[in-house]
Amino acid sequence: MASIKVLQPGLATYVEDKGRYGYYHLGIPPGGALDQLSFCAGNLLLGNDENAAALEVALMGPVLQFPDGGFVAITGADMAPIVNGEKKPTHTVIELPKNAELKFDFLRNGARAYICVKGGIDVPVVMGSRSTYPLGVIGGHKGRKLEAADELPIGAYSTQAQVGKTLSDEFKVHLQPIEILRVIMGLQDYKLTEDTIHNLFEDVFTVSSSADRTGYRFKDGRKLQYKNLPQPFGAGSDPSNIPDACYPVGSMQAPGGNEPIVLLRDAPSGGGFAMYCTVISCDLDRMGQIPPNHKVKFKKVDMEEALKARAEYKQKFIKLRESLM
């Protein structure tokens, strides 16, 4: 069986697919690629099933060896691949010769690149997914990020990939100097003062260095202030505490009223901090591509606007599939 040898693992490289669903009530979050569209685009370029497992690379690329060669497509963040010393394009199907060494140039745009391989990464399916859940040591490769000397099996395939096939520019990552993330208010927004809610949508925040698959912390905004309300039975003494509740993916909390945190795909499924709003699902792809020190503003939308945005996101996926058929 063909395989990939990890010479250097990069900063944080995980095996991911679309995610692991149906176990949130047991405390296991969905996981999966943070930028679902870029992940699926890479697989579609190669002619894979769009859920074939790939490598998600954060901020700094790995160095990999392909003893048997193969076909790859690098999507998501602009992290140019270098094959045997020769720079190659992103978002394009590349053929690798036997014993090829694949490494990466510096990151220039975005935060996460996807190394999609013809045949997919053939790690075992655990609870319906090949995605990595590091906190539970579940799935992926040994339930953790990659390390030097790891070896990953590549799935078999019967047809060759179309070398040079390229993704349209409209499906690539294009970050704005200040990214806008749309949110719906709730579930415990009543705990915040009116001035605080106003400031939340006026302030320009900065993504802190504490930004990973569990959640993003945002700094440089004004401190959140709470109304003087009695704490309910079972909650902690701090006004940011509530009795334990489920955490939706994308939900925002600010323990102690300090820097807001938006929970992502590997976050705990519940806990005792109030949730003031939730980033809408179709903005989570883009959020996963925002690197540390990038600027962000939050925009309040209602349910009608959120559902319209979700429908547009689904149409974009349809257009992506049609463009790569």
Side-chain angles (χ1 to χ4, degrees):
M1 176 182 286
S3 65
I4 303 170
K5 292 183 178 180
V6 180
L7 305 182
Q8 296 177 26
L11 186 64
T13 304
Y14 292 96
V15 177
E16 301 293 345
D17 58 16
K18 284 186 176 180
R20 179 176 289 106
Y21 295 93
Y23 300 95
Y24 214 22
H25 65 295
L26 300 176
I28 299 175
L34 289 191
D35 181 353
Q36 296 269 307
L37 190 134
S38 293
F39 163 79
C40 291
N43 277 322
L44 291 169
L45 277 169
L46 291 162
N48 286 345
D49 182 281
E50 65 183 58
N51 193 36
L55 298 180
E56 181 181 87
V57 177
L59 301 176
M60 185 176 74
V63 179
L64 308 173
Q65 185 181 43
F66 289 73
D68 300 288
F71 301 89
V72 299
I74 314 302
T75 55
D78 186 3
M79 189 182 291
I82 301 171
V83 179
N84 293 339
E86 181 182 352
K87 188 176 289 189
K88 299 287 186 178
T90 58
H91 303 91
T92 299
V93 176
I94 302 166
E95 184 172 9
L96 303 178
K98 289 186 176 181
N99 294 312
E101 181 182 272
L102 173 65
K103 58 183 181 180
F104 293 86
D105 201 353
F106 295 109
L107 179 71
R108 300 184 187 282
N109 181 53
R112 288 172 174 82
Y114 293 89
I115 306 173
C116 298
V117 182
K118 180 68 176 177
I121 307 296
D122 195 21
V123 294
V125 174
V126 180
M127 303 172 77
S129 173
R130 291 183 167 91
S131 284
T132 312
Y133 177 39
L135 185 61
V137 197
I138 292 172
H141 180 71
K142 300 182 179 180
R144 57 164 171 76
K145 64 183 179 182
L146 298 189
E147 298 177 358
D150 284 344
E151 188 163 354
L152 306 171
I154 297 174
Y157 52 90
S158 57
T159 59
Q160 302 293 294
Q162 184 180 333
V163 176
K165 189 174 184 179
T166 300
L167 187 68
S168 172
D169 190 65
E170 66 181 298
F171 302 114
K172 298 177 184 178
V173 175
H174 300 286
L175 293 181
Q176 301 301 313
I178 301 178
E179 276 294 324
I180 305 298
L181 295 175
R182 294 167 290 185
V183 305
I184 289 182
M185 296 305 296
L187 299 166
Q188 290 86 30
D189 58 322
Y190 65 86
K191 293 173 73 71
L192 298 178
T193 66
E194 291 183 7
D195 284 346
T196 286
I197 293 176
H198 173 80
N199 295 342
L200 183 63
F201 300 112
E202 287 294 319
D203 290 350
V204 176
F205 293 87
T206 304
V207 177
S208 84
S209 58
S210 298
D212 58 22
R213 291 184 49 82
T214 300
Y216 270 40
R217 185 185 294 271
F218 297 90
K219 59 184 182 179
D220 297 339
R222 282 168 279 190
K223 184 178 174 70
L224 279 69
Q225 302 294 329
Y226 299 88
K227 296 176 182 177
N228 186 20
L229 300 173
Q231 285 293 87
F233 177 78
S237 59
D238 191 281
S240 65
N241 293 141
I242 58 170
D244 280 1
C246 296
Y247 289 156
V249 175
S251 60
M252 179 188 292
Q253 54 185 230
N258 296 313
E259 297 164 342
I261 298 169
V262 174
L263 302 181
L264 289 178
R265 287 178 163 268
D266 281 356
S269 60
F273 291 110
M275 294 159 282
Y276 312 111
C277 56
T278 302
V279 175
I280 64 175
S281 59
C282 55
D283 281 4
L284 293 176
D285 279 10
R286 195 168 70 258
M287 183 177 159
Q289 288 291 1
I290 302 174
N293 298 315
H294 201 89
K295 302 297 183 183
V296 167
K297 282 196 74 172
F298 297 104
K299 178 183 179 181
K300 181 169 63 174
V301 297
D302 60 23
M303 183 60 72
E304 183 178 353
E305 292 171 297
L307 290 173
K308 181 182 177 183
R310 185 170 70 176
E312 291 171 349
Y313 177 73
K314 289 181 177 179
Q315 284 300 312
K316 189 173 184 179
F317 256 95
I318 292 171
K319 190 175 181 181
L320 169 70
R321 294 180 184 113
E322 290 176 345
S323 73
L324 295 174
M325 287 178 62

